[in-house]
Amino acid sequence: MQSSTMNTSCSFVEVDNTMKYVELIIYIPIFLFGTVLNVFALVVFCVRLKKWTESTIYMTNLALMDLILLLQLPFKMHATNYSWPTELLQFCTILENLYFVGIYGSIYTVMCIAGDRWIAICHPFKAKQLRSPKAALIMCIGVWVVVFSATFPIIHSFKGGNETGNVHCFHRFSKNRWNPSVISCLQVFGFLGPALVIIYCSVRTICALHQSGKNSSKCRACVKIIYSSLSAFLVPFTPSHLAIFLQFLVHRGEITDCSSMTKINLFIQVTMCLSNITCCLDALCYYFAAQEARSARQSIKISLTRERKHTFSTSEV
């Protein structure tokens, strides 16, 4: 997400030229490995697994979101080096929409996974009423509806006019779209809100695992995977959304120093590139997290059942 041309003598030509090579170095491995891993995950979930569970539905949805994002990377690499004719403006807008649908669809799907895991492990008895494949499917459909309805109207108006008659796809968003309402919604509903939910659910799940299975190797393994999956979410997306906020300050005139503006311009482009690595991390972390969560859920349910029996027997004495 590069910035639009600003009324300033500060030049970002050197940064843009550097990013042409940096994007190739980052995007090519992400595209190749991410596509293979997510296609393999879809084959496993949709073909090899005979029974659809809540976890497999969420994982399938996550893989689909990641693939939508990955399929935009070749176009994004091409658009970095070449401007497109105005006839491709509509096609460019669709690609930009799908790119952000993939990003925020993945974020919301990960939030659903964290919530589902929290319910399954921390509330195993209530999970019978709250969790079901049908409920998971409805949640996934809801994610698609939310991200499409929120992304398309905003991104459609992001493009600014261009005096050369060419389209800078994935770049040069118009300055008037960097307003407080758009950026606030993006930061709060696109990242901060889901991040708080994911952190809360992960912390509560880890606490429950520590309390119910301190001596269990499965529970310890599950805790490590939750930590790694949490890191796989926060590490790619936190810097990129911080960069968006800093770029917003530049457009609002809060940051006017040319050196700082150049660094922020480089920072937002690099972090947006690196945020796509989540497509590779998702395919690895969350699949194994689901496997461990199912094993840990059984041990916790047994532990809680024993505690309840002990409580009832004590009260009868």
Side-chain angles (χ1 to χ4, degrees):
M1 183 191 293
Q2 289 179 331
S3 62
S4 61
T5 303
M6 292 171 282
N7 287 326
T8 177
S9 58
C10 195
S11 175
F12 305 119
V13 174
E14 185 177 349
V15 173
D16 292 340
N17 290 334
T18 301
M19 286 305 303
K20 291 180 180 180
Y21 301 100
V22 173
E23 285 193 358
L24 291 176
I25 295 172
I26 296 175
Y27 281 154
I28 290 177
I30 290 177
F31 176 75
L32 294 176
F33 287 106
T35 302
V36 171
L37 290 172
N38 282 281
V39 169
F40 177 75
L42 284 177
V43 171
V44 171
F45 296 139
C46 299
V47 178
R48 295 188 179 182
L49 296 181
K50 297 181 180 180
K51 184 179 180 181
W52 280 86
T53 65
E54 299 84 0
S55 297
T56 55
I57 291 173
Y58 285 125
M59 298 297 171
T60 301
N61 195 66
L62 183 60
L64 288 173
M65 289 293 185
D66 286 339
L67 279 175
I68 286 180
L69 192 156
L70 286 165
L71 291 177
Q72 313 315 310
L73 295 187
F75 300 102
K76 202 169 186 296
M77 285 186 283
H78 183 274
T80 300
N81 296 278
Y82 304 98
S83 60
W84 295 6
T86 53
E87 291 80 7
L88 295 178
L89 176 60
Q90 192 64 34
F91 179 62
C92 168
T93 303
I94 293 174
L95 294 178
E96 290 172 344
N97 285 327
L98 292 176
Y99 179 75
F100 285 100
V101 163
I103 290 178
Y104 293 102
S106 297
I107 289 177
Y108 271 83
T109 303
V110 170
M111 183 183 71
C112 291
I113 292 173
D116 180 74
R117 184 171 53 207
W118 168 65
I119 293 173
I121 293 178
C122 297
H123 304 281
F125 296 100
K126 292 182 179 179
K128 292 182 178 180
Q129 290 77 36
L130 298 176
R131 298 178 73 247
S132 69
K134 182 179 179 180
L137 182 60
I138 292 174
M139 290 295 294
C140 290
I141 294 174
V143 168
W144 284 90
V145 172
V146 168
V147 294
F148 266 101
S149 60
T151 302
F152 267 65
I154 295 176
I155 301 300
H156 181 74
S157 58
F158 263 19
K159 304 304 292 184
N162 192 293
E163 64 276 6
T164 64
N166 294 326
V167 177
H168 295 277
C169 199
F170 294 100
H171 304 288
R172 312 303 185 202
F173 292 142
S174 62
K175 186 176 181 179
N176 63 345
R177 299 314 302 173
W178 289 86
N179 62 65
S181 59
V182 173
I183 300 303
S184 296
C185 289
L186 179 70
Q187 297 283 30
V188 174
F189 298 106
F191 175 69
L192 291 177
L196 290 175
V197 173
I198 293 169
I199 292 171
Y200 173 82
C201 292
S202 298
V203 170
R204 296 296 298 173
T205 303
I206 290 170
C207 291
L209 290 170
H210 279 308
Q211 292 172 0
S212 302
K214 292 182 178 180
N215 298 321
S216 169
S217 59
K218 290 184 177 180
C219 287
R220 288 196 299 270
C222 187
V223 168
K224 292 180 181 179
I225 291 173
I226 293 175
Y227 274 125
S228 63
S229 61
L230 182 61
S231 300
F233 170 79
L234 292 176
V235 171
F237 291 122
T238 302
S240 61
H241 285 83
L242 173 61
I244 291 173
F245 176 71
L246 293 175
Q247 188 74 306
F248 166 72
L249 295 180
V250 170
H251 280 275
R252 298 295 293 179
E254 301 294 334
I255 299 176
T256 57
D257 177 65
C258 185
S259 176
S260 299
M261 292 169 63
T262 302
K263 292 177 182 177
I264 291 172
N265 189 275
L266 178 62
F267 182 51
I268 190 172
Q269 295 191 58
V270 171
T271 54
M272 288 297 292
C273 287
L274 292 175
S275 66
N276 296 289
I277 199 173
T278 187
C279 296
C280 300
L281 300 178
D282 286 343
L284 294 173
C285 291
Y286 291 105
Y287 172 74
F288 293 108
Q291 299 296 319
E292 294 296 338
R294 283 198 292 270
S295 300
R297 184 173 69 246
Q298 296 300 324
S299 63
I300 290 176
K301 186 174 181 178
I302 294 172
S303 176
L304 291 175
T305 303
R306 289 176 179 175
E307 289 181 5
R308 289 190 176 187
K309 288 182 178 179
H310 176 72
T311 302
F312 292 150
S313 62
T314 304
S315 62
E316 291 175 357
V317 176

